[in-house]
Amino acid sequence: MMENLLDVENLWVKFPTRQGVFDAVRGVSFSLGRERLGIVGESGSGKSMTGRAILRLIRSPGIVAADHINLDGVDLLKKTEKEMRAVRGRRISMVMQDPKFSLNPVTTIGDQIIEAYRLHNKTSKSEAYAKAIEMLNAVSIRDAERVMRAYPHEMSGGMGQRIMIAMMLIPNPEILIADEPTSALDVSVQRQVLDIMDGLVKERGMGLIFISHDLNLVADFCDRVLIMYAGRIVEVCEANKLHEAKHSYTRGLLNSLPRLDAPRDRLEVLKRDPAWSEAPSVSGRV
Amino acid sequence: MALTDNNTERRPRGPLFPQWIKTTAMTLSSIAVTLLGLLFITFIIGRVMPIDPVLAIVGERASQSTYDAVYLELGLDKPLIVQFLYYIWDVIHLDFGISLLNARPVAEDIARVFPATLELATLGIIIGIVLGVPLGVLAAVRKGSWIDQVARVLALVGYSMPIFWLGLMGLLVFYGILGWVGGPGRVGIFYVDVVPSVTGLILVDAALDGNWDVFKDAFSHIILPASLLGYFSLAYISRMTRSFMLEQLSAEYVTTARVKGMSEWDVVWKHAFKNIRVQLITVIALSYANLLEGSVLTEIIFSWPGIGSYITTALLSADMNAVLGGTVVVGLIFILLNIFSDLLYKVFDPRAK
Amino acid sequence: MAEHYLRAWLLTDTPTSRRHAKMSALYQGWLSFRSNTMAMIGLIILLLLVLIAAAAPLISPHDPFVQDLGNRLAPLGTPGHIFGTDSLGRDILSRLIYGARITLYIVALVALIAPVVGLLVGTVSGYVGGWVDVVLMRITDIFLAFPRLVLALAFVAALGAGIENAVLAISLTAWPPYARIARAETLTIRSSDYISAIQLQGAGALRIITKHIWPLCISSLIVRVTLDMAGIILAAAGLGFLGLGAQPPSPEWGAMISEGRRFILDHWWVATMPGLAIFTVSLAFNLLGDGLRDVLDPKAGE
C-alpha cells in the first residue's frame, strides 16, 4: 500500500444558473499517492473542474462541496483563504493548457519565476535569480539568462510550457496537477515536454494528476486512470490494462480511435447510454 | 524576435529600410494629413462664413478704395488653393489673425487664456483618475456587488447629465446655499493679480510666491468646476477600467498567479492591473482631451476665463479669427494627445515592439 | 386559444417562410428585451415623451408663449403653474411640454442624417476598397480627431444660429463613428462565402450593398444610434444653452436653462426643471440603448 498524499471524498462542483443548478462534478472520490494518476474524459466531463476544485480555484458563484479533500490528512476545505494560499504553489501546483494564455504577457519570464519562488521562500532576489536559472536549466532551456529577460510572446509554445513547468515546480510542491499540458502544443514537442515533466516528478517523488482527453497518451504515460463522464467517475483501471476496460463508455472511446495495427473502413461512433450518467460514481481511492 | 525551440535566432534579412523607419514615416505622414485636414475644415468654415471679412475690418463706411486695398491685402483675389496655402503658412507661424473684438493678435489671446483651461482640466482629470480607476477595478473584482451597482449608476447618470446644468446645480447648492466654495471666476475679487503670473496656473503661481491666502482662495474657486469635470471623466474612466479588468480577470494567467499562492490583492494589482495600464493610458488621454473640450460649457457656467469662454464669446460676437484660432488650437491638442497615447502604447506594451 | 396559437407560431424552431422567420426572430428579441427592466423603463419614458409631444396642445395648461409679467418667477406649486413661471411669466410646465417636440425633432433629424451618411461612406469604403477606402477613411479620421463640440460650435458659427443649423452641425460631427462601424461590418460580410455565391449569380455591387450588406449593418447601427442619442440631446441642449441652437422665444430646454441661469440663486426652479427634463430623456435613451445592445449585439456587451 503506498502512501496517500491526497484523498478526495464525494466532491461536488455546482454552478447556479438561470435554469437551475448545474452540477459540473457529481460526487467524485479518489486518492493520489506518489504516482501518476490520469483523469480522462471528453470536454464538459468535469475533469478540469475536479483539478481546480482541489486547489479551491472555483470562483463564485461556483460552489465546491466535499466530505473532505485531505492533503496529508488535513482537510483543505476547512482552511481559510489565507492558509490556502500557503498550500497553492508550495504544496499543490498546476500547469495549465496553453502557455500563451497562462503566462502574464507584460511581465518578464524571469520576474514571473522569481515571484513564484519568493512567494514561499524568504530569500534575496539574487538567490531567487540563481534558483530560477537552475530551474530553467532543469527543464532543458539553454540560454536561460536571456530567457529570463524575455517576454512570454517571444517564446514558442513548447518553451512556454517548459517555463510554466519550471515556474510551477520551483517552490518544490508535493503534487502537480497538469491540466491538458500538451494539448495546445505542436505534436513534435509534446513528447519532449512530457518527458521533462515526468523526469522532474519522478526525481522529486511527487504525485501527478494528469488531466487529458487523450486516452492513448494517458495509457502511455500514467500509472492509473480515472475515466470521467458527465461529472462522475465511470471506471477506474490500471493504465497498462486500459484495453481490458469493461465500461461501455471507455470501450466506446477506445473503439472510436483509429489504430494502425487494426485498420477499419469506418470508425465507430460513440453511442451514449443515458444510464451512464445516472449510475453512481465509481471510487478512485486505493 | 521569436525564440524557437532550439534557441536559435531568426536572422534579420536586412531590407532596404528598417521597419522602424517605415512605421515612423507612416505615422508622421498620417499625422501631417490629419493636421492638414483640420486646417482645411477650419479654412472652409471660415470661407462659408456669411460675414464679409473685409467689411469686418474696414467697417461699413469705408471708401471703395480702402475696401479694395484690404481685399488685396487679405489675398482674397487669389484662387482658393493659394489662399489655403497662405492660411497654412500663417498657422505654422502661429498667426491666427487679429481679433475683431479687441484688435489684438488671436495667438496672444489664446496664450493668455489657455493656462486657465489647462489648470481646470488637469485638476479635473486627476480627480477622475484618482477616483475612477480604483472604482472601476473594484467594480470588476466585485462584479454584481453593491459597489458595482453604485459604479454603474454613477456612470449612467454621468453619461445622461447635461454638464452645464449640473454645474449650475453645484453652484446653487455648494456656493449659494452651503457657501462651502468660492463662486464663479478663478479667484475672489480681492485676490485678482496679487501673485505674479509665472506659469499662468494660479495654484502653481500662488505656491511659488508662497502666498497661501491666494492659494486657498483659488482652490476654493477651482474645486467645484474641477470636481464637475472630474465626475464626467470618472464616469468614463471607471466604466472602461471595469471592462478592461473584467477581460483580464478571466484570463488564464490570473489563475496562474492564484495557483502560485498569491494574495487576491496582488493578483489584481500586480498581474491583472499591470495588463491594462497601457489601455488605461489611452483612455485617460482621450478623457483628458474630452475635458479640454467639455470645459467649454463648464467655463461659461463658472465664468472661468479659459479657452472655452474665449471661443464662445468670440462666437457670439462673430469674431471669426478668434473662433477659428481657438478651434485649431483645441484640435491640435486633441490630435497631439491621440498621437501621444499611440506612442505610449508602443513604449509600454512589450508585444507592440 | 388564438393567442396561444400565435405564441407557438412565433416561437417555432422551424419557420415556414422568410416572413415567419423574421417575425419569430423579432418576437424572441422582444421577449429577451422585455425581461430587462431598466431598458423597459427607458422605453416607457420615451413612449411617454412621444405621446406628450404629440398631444402638447391638448395637455399643456397654458400657451407656452403667452407672457404674464404680473406673475413672473412664480415658485413651484403655484396654483395653475405647478412648475412655476419664468422671468416673463410663462408657464414652465407648458414650455417643457412644447420643448419635448423640439427635442424629438432634433433627435429624429440627427438620427436620420448621421447614420445614413455614415452607412453610405462606410459601406462604399469597405466594399470598393483600394484608394477610395484610403481617402474616405482618412476623411473619417480627420473628423474623429476633431473635438466634437468645438467643431459643432465652429460650424454653427459659420452657418448661423438656429435649430436646423444646430442639427446639421451635430450630424456633421456625429457620422464618423457610424462610418467606422459600417466599414468594419462590410469588410467581414464582403469576404463571406454567401456574398461570393451571390456574386457568382451575377449580382452587381449596388445590389449587394443595398440588399445584403446594409440590412446586416443595421442592427449594430441601431444600437450605436440609440446610445448616441443621449449625447446628441446633450449636445443640442448645450448649443441651445450657448444661444446657438433654437432661438427665443422657442421653449427649447437648453435655452430655458440658459434663461434661468440668471436667477439661479433666488429662483432655482426656472433652470432646474428643464435640466431634469433633459436628464430624464437622455437617461431613458441610455437605458434603452444598453438593453438593445444586449439583445441585438450581445458580443459588444460586457
Side-chain angles (χ1 to χ4, degrees):
Chain A
M1 184 83 197
M2 80 186 132
E3 173 197 2
N4 247 351
L5 290 172
L6 185 73
D7 189 74
V8 178
E9 171 89 33
N10 195 22
L11 173 70
W12 288 74
V13 177
K14 303 171 191 213
F15 290 94
T17 67
R18 266 186 211 166
Q19 286 81 36
V21 177
F22 169 70
D23 298 316
V25 178
R26 306 183 300 160
V28 164
S29 304
F30 64 91
S31 62
L32 174 77
R34 299 194 187 281
E35 62 176 328
R36 292 166 300 184
L37 177 71
I39 302 183
V40 191
E42 53 198 5
S43 41
S45 62
K47 54 188 195 307
S48 279
M49 286 298 160
T50 306
R52 278 159 202 240
I54 294 169
L55 278 164
R56 287 195 21 210
L57 287 173
I58 310 285
R59 311 285 296 165
S60 93
I63 301 162
V64 177
D67 293 354
H68 64 244
I69 301 177
N70 282 355
L71 177 67
D72 271 343
V74 182
D75 192 352
L76 293 182
L77 288 177
K78 295 214 173 75
K79 286 186 184 285
T80 63
E81 186 55 29
K82 189 156 186 272
E83 291 167 335
M84 202 54 214
R85 289 209 297 269
V87 171
R88 293 194 195 118
R90 177 69 190 84
R91 306 193 61 190
I92 307 178
S93 217
M94 182 160 84
V95 173
M96 271 93 75
Q97 181 165 356
D98 195 339
K100 249 211 275 354
F101 303 118
S102 51
L103 290 168
N104 189 335
V106 298
T107 305
T108 59
I109 287 161
D111 285 349
Q112 296 189 55
I113 300 179
I114 288 173
E115 177 188 78
Y117 185 65
R118 293 194 24 159
L119 272 168
H120 301 286
N121 298 279
K122 300 266 164 286
T123 58
S124 69
K125 272 213 164 132
S126 57
E127 202 176 319
Y129 184 87
K131 184 83 187 159
I133 295 275
E134 186 188 314
M135 201 63 221
L136 282 177
N137 288 329
V139 292
S140 308
I141 286 179
R142 279 161 282 169
D143 207 1
E145 311 239 326
R146 194 158 68 92
V147 170
M148 289 285 279
R149 286 193 306 271
Y151 286 94
H153 70 278
E154 296 164 323
M155 299 291 121
S156 68
M159 273 185 87
Q161 201 61 307
R162 280 186 278 153
I163 289 163
M164 192 69 191
I165 292 169
M167 187 164 86
M168 284 311 176
L169 292 185
I170 199 170
N172 207 9
E174 295 143 58
I175 297 171
L176 180 68
I177 301 170
D179 187 356
E180 305 261 14
T182 55
S183 309
L185 303 185
D186 282 348
V187 182
S188 55
V189 296
Q190 280 187 0
R191 196 73 231 180
Q192 183 198 10
V193 169
L194 279 181
D195 286 342
I196 288 171
M197 189 169 78
D198 189 38
L200 286 169
V201 165
K202 262 199 197 127
E203 185 186 302
R204 296 164 177 233
M206 296 168 57
L208 173 72
I209 298 179
F210 187 86
I211 298 169
S212 175
H213 64 277
D214 189 335
L215 211 53
N216 282 333
L217 187 69
V218 171
D220 244 26
F221 183 69
C222 293
D223 305 316
R224 208 154 55 94
V225 185
L226 311 178
I227 289 113
M228 283 189 74
Y229 181 77
R232 288 190 172 153
I233 300 176
V234 294
E235 187 161 23
V236 180
C237 54
E238 298 295 316
N240 49 17
K241 292 181 187 141
L242 194 64
H243 54 274
E244 295 166 20
K246 306 214 169 43
H247 197 277
S248 41
Y249 175 62
T250 321
R251 292 239 58 89
L253 282 183
L254 285 168
N255 289 337
S256 61
L257 294 173
R259 283 171 56 174
L260 278 177
D261 51 333
R264 270 175 297 182
D265 288 343
R266 258 192 117 88
L267 287 172
E268 249 175 67
V269 175
L270 192 60
K271 287 193 196 68
R272 286 156 203 279
D273 186 344
W276 294 347
S277 54
E278 294 312 317
S281 195
V282 177
S283 173
R285 301 169 81 181
V286 184
Chain B
M1 198 177 326
L3 297 178
T4 50
D5 263 314
N6 45 15
N7 290 7
T8 53
E9 281 178 41
R10 206 188 300 151
R11 273 278 212 47
R13 245 174 295 149
L16 203 54
F17 299 104
Q19 193 58 42
W20 68 268
I21 288 188
K22 250 191 207 163
T23 36
T24 314
M26 290 282 281
T27 320
L28 283 179
S29 71
S30 103
I31 293 169
V33 171
T34 312
L35 289 179
L36 268 182
L38 175 107
L39 293 181
F40 185 68
I41 291 175
T42 48
F43 176 72
I44 291 292
I45 292 174
R47 278 271 111 200
V48 296
M49 185 76 180
I51 296 173
D52 186 333
V54 183
L55 268 189
I57 290 174
V58 299
E60 296 279 342
R61 276 172 297 173
S63 66
Q64 187 62 37
S65 59
T66 328
Y67 183 97
D68 289 342
V70 175
Y71 186 84
L72 289 177
E73 193 190 315
L74 289 178
L76 294 176
D77 55 330
K78 306 258 180 6
L80 270 184
I81 180 74
V82 177
Q83 291 187 35
F84 182 50
L85 291 176
Y86 275 138
Y87 177 63
I88 295 175
W89 184 252
D90 288 345
V91 171
I92 289 175
H93 291 83
L94 292 179
D95 176 5
F96 298 114
I98 302 292
S99 162
L100 300 181
L101 263 187
N102 56 14
R104 277 200 304 233
V106 170
E108 270 177 33
D109 278 350
I110 291 177
R112 190 167 40 80
V113 298
F114 189 69
T117 300
L118 191 71
E119 188 171 26
L120 185 60
T122 306
L123 194 57
I125 196 78
I126 291 173
I127 293 173
I129 297 169
V130 167
L131 299 177
V133 171
L135 185 67
V137 170
L138 263 173
V141 171
R142 308 240 176 286
K143 190 186 169 197
S145 69
W146 64 269
I147 194 147
D148 190 17
Q149 300 298 336
V150 167
R152 187 180 131 85
V153 171
L154 272 180
L156 198 57
V157 170
Y159 285 152
S160 312
M161 192 76 84
I163 189 168
F164 51 99
W165 180 71
L166 194 61
L168 273 180
M169 294 297 117
L171 264 184
L172 171 63
V173 174
F174 294 106
Y175 172 64
I177 298 176
L178 298 171
W180 288 357
V181 299
R186 289 180 89 183
V187 283
I189 190 149
F190 303 114
Y191 294 108
V192 175
D193 291 333
V194 169
V195 293
S197 173
V198 182
T199 58
L201 314 169
I202 284 201
L203 287 178
V204 178
D205 286 347
L208 285 178
D209 197 44
N211 193 334
W212 299 107
D213 284 342
V214 173
F215 185 88
K216 243 164 60 189
D217 186 67
F219 187 77
S220 85
H221 278 85
I222 201 175
I223 188 65
L224 188 60
S227 305
L228 186 70
L229 290 175
Y231 173 49
F232 282 89
S233 65
L234 172 150
Y236 180 59
I237 291 176
S238 69
R239 273 293 87 177
M240 297 310 280
T241 308
R242 178 182 180 271
S243 76
F244 293 156
M245 275 304 275
L246 279 181
E247 195 189 327
Q248 296 303 324
L249 285 173
S250 66
E252 194 76 334
Y253 72 82
V254 166
T255 311
T256 305
R258 291 193 181 116
V259 169
K260 285 175 174 177
M262 216 169 209
S263 70
E264 201 54 31
W265 175 271
D266 283 352
V267 169
V268 168
W269 290 103
K270 286 194 185 157
H271 282 272
F273 188 72
K274 196 175 173 190
N275 271 274
I276 71 164
R277 282 183 323 190
V278 183
Q279 285 167 292
L280 211 53
I281 289 171
T282 316
V283 164
I284 289 169
L286 200 69
S287 185
Y288 191 52
N290 281 327
L291 278 197
L292 286 175
E293 180 196 29
S295 62
V296 172
L297 289 163
T298 315
E299 284 177 7
I300 305 284
I301 292 288
F302 291 91
S303 311
W304 195 264
I307 196 159
S309 293
Y310 181 72
I311 293 179
T312 323
T313 319
L315 245 169
L316 295 174
S317 33
D319 184 353
M320 212 51 199
N321 282 344
V323 172
L324 292 183
T327 309
V328 167
V329 169
V330 176
L332 266 177
I333 294 167
F334 227 72
I335 294 172
L336 289 178
L337 276 170
N338 275 322
I339 298 165
F340 174 70
S341 69
D342 271 2
L343 283 179
L344 281 178
Y345 231 114
K346 297 201 172 94
V347 173
F348 278 112
D349 193 333
R351 285 162 294 186
K353 276 172 194 156
Chain C
M1 200 55 209
E3 198 178 307
H4 180 77
Y5 176 76
L6 179 66
R7 205 179 138 76
W9 185 77
L10 283 170
L11 286 177
T12 180
D13 289 333
T14 50
T16 49
S17 68
R18 228 191 229 212
R19 200 169 58 96
H20 188 176
K22 216 178 236 168
M23 301 291 285
S24 172
L26 271 179
Y27 183 65
Q28 290 184 12
W30 165 246
L31 282 186
S32 88
F33 179 80
R34 212 177 52 179
S35 63
N36 186 335
T37 321
M38 297 313 270
M40 280 306 280
I41 293 175
L43 183 65
I44 289 167
I45 293 176
L46 292 176
L47 287 178
L48 272 177
L49 181 77
V50 173
L51 275 180
I52 288 172
L58 299 176
I59 55 175
S60 66
H62 298 272
D63 186 311
F65 301 109
V66 168
Q67 307 180 359
D68 175 6
L69 292 176
N71 192 21
R72 55 196 292 269
L73 298 168
L76 287 186
T78 305
H81 300 286
I82 195 145
F83 283 174
T85 59
D86 68 7
S87 59
L88 296 172
R90 294 172 295 196
D91 181 50
I92 292 180
L93 176 63
S94 307
R95 288 178 69 74
L96 285 182
I97 292 174
Y98 274 89
R101 292 186 154 189
I102 301 173
T103 300
L104 281 177
Y105 176 71
I106 293 174
V107 163
L109 274 185
V110 175
L112 276 178
I113 300 173
V116 170
V117 173
L119 188 66
L120 273 174
V121 172
T123 44
V124 168
S125 174
Y127 192 84
V128 178
W131 64 267
V132 175
D133 185 29
V134 173
V135 170
L136 286 178
M137 278 304 114
R138 262 293 109 201
I139 294 175
T140 311
D141 282 347
I142 289 167
F143 273 88
L144 272 179
F146 241 108
R148 280 174 72 169
L149 182 65
V150 172
L151 183 59
L153 284 182
F155 269 123
V156 175
L159 301 171
I163 199 163
E164 276 79 15
N165 288 342
V167 166
L168 215 58
I170 295 173
S171 305
L172 272 170
T173 60
W175 66 270
Y178 303 117
R180 279 277 187 86
I181 295 173
R183 176 174 176 270
E185 295 265 342
T186 307
L187 286 181
T188 345
I189 300 166
R190 192 184 65 167
S191 56
S192 60
D193 287 341
Y194 75 90
I195 293 293
S196 322
I198 307 164
Q199 275 170 336
L200 288 176
Q201 284 172 9
L206 191 64
R207 190 185 164 79
I208 292 176
I209 290 181
T210 54
K211 294 261 171 171
H212 297 276
I213 292 179
W214 280 0
L216 288 167
C217 294
I218 294 291
S219 72
S220 42
L221 279 186
I222 287 179
V223 173
R224 181 69 202 229
V225 169
T226 320
L227 284 170
D228 280 357
M229 281 301 137
I232 291 166
I233 289 176
L234 296 182
L239 288 178
F241 176 78
L242 293 175
L244 297 168
Q247 295 298 302
S250 154
E252 198 271 328
W253 294 343
M256 286 171 72
I257 297 180
S258 162
E259 218 174 272
R261 186 189 159 208
R262 286 180 291 151
F263 322 104
I264 183 72
L265 293 181
D266 301 314
H267 310 282
W268 55 269
W269 58 90
V270 184
T272 306
M273 290 305 141
L276 282 177
I278 298 171
F279 172 60
T280 312
V281 174
S282 71
L283 183 68
F285 270 115
N286 273 328
L287 292 173
L288 180 71
D290 277 347
L292 277 181
R293 181 179 56 194
D294 292 345
V295 173
L296 292 176
D297 196 9
K299 280 169 296 176
E302 300 135 307

